[in-house]
Each structure stands twice: as C-alpha cells, then as structure tokens.
Amino acid sequence: QVQLVESGGGLVQAGGSLRLSCVASGRIFSLNGVGWYRQVPGKQRELVARITGSGTTTYADSVKGRFTISRDNAKNTWYLQMNILKPEDTAVYSCNVLANGYSYWGQGTQVTVSS
C-alpha cells in the first residue's frame, strides 16, 4: 500500500512562489507517472503537470513557463514549483501516483493566491 502526503500549500500574494511536495510511503516498484492536479469548488479537477517514470514532463497551457514538476527518486518525493502565481491558481492541489498497477491520491493541500 502506498500513501501520499502533500505539503507546501498556503497563502501567497500574486506574483509569489510556492513549492508543493508529495511524499510517498510504501514500496513503489513499478512507476508509471505522477501528476499534480488542482480543483476548485464547482469545477472539474484539472491536470496541472505530469512527469512519467522516465522523466518526461507535460504541463497544462495555463501553467507553462511558471510551474515545474520534478522528482527525487531516492526520497520517493515529487515537487511542484509554482512561480509567478496568479489568483486563478487558487485551488486544492493533489498529487496522483500511478504505480504498482494502482492509482494513489493524496489528501490535497490548499493554495490561495491573493490579488
């Protein structure tokens, strides 16, 4: 069983930065990929960034050039560096790990960007 814990969210002014972390506990022996998603009430969950097991990254158009997804394999940790934050980035951010034939979700961390 793999459990995920996100951290790093908070309140920041527009133009500021935050770095989210997603730490996995448990054994990961077959990693397909990791995605950061965000959701605001009343809207569908949105894929923000993804990194495959081989390290290929993709981003939503709305965050390209501002957000960077990365990983520390030794620590089973994935990061989302968010720069030049905008009020429209306000959401609950969650990480999703596709591994061992399963899909795992963390509990989410709130990011609030004030104007």
Side-chain angles (χ1 to χ4, degrees):
Q1 183 73 6
V2 174
Q3 293 184 323
L4 306 177
V5 177
E6 300 104 332
S7 61
L11 174 63
V12 64
Q13 287 189 331
S17 298
L18 286 173
R19 189 177 81 156
L20 307 183
S21 299
C22 173
V23 180
S25 61
R27 188 174 173 221
I28 295 177
F29 53 84
S30 177
L31 178 66
N32 182 285
V34 176
W36 281 99
Y37 290 77
R38 66 186 180 188
Q39 189 168 25
V40 297
K43 292 189 176 181
Q44 279 193 326
R45 185 163 53 197
E46 173 190 20
L47 176 62
V48 174
R50 188 172 188 272
I51 185 167
T52 67
S54 60
T56 301
T57 58
T58 55
Y59 297 92
D61 287 342
S62 58
V63 306
K64 279 181 182 176
R66 300 189 297 122
F67 290 12
T68 303
I69 188 170
S70 62
R71 62 185 181 177
D72 184 333
N73 289 335
K75 296 182 179 180
N76 271 356
T77 300
W78 297 269
Y79 304 98
L80 184 67
Q81 178 67 45
M82 306 186 295
N83 299 326
I84 318 175
L85 283 161
K86 304 176 181 179
E88 51 264 43
D89 295 319
T90 295
V92 174
Y93 285 72
S94 302
C95 64
N96 171 254
V97 173
L98 298 177
N100 309 341
Y102 292 93
S103 175
Y104 302 98
W105 288 93
Q107 83 288 350
T109 184
Q110 176 71 46
V111 171
T112 303
V113 184
S114 63
S115 57

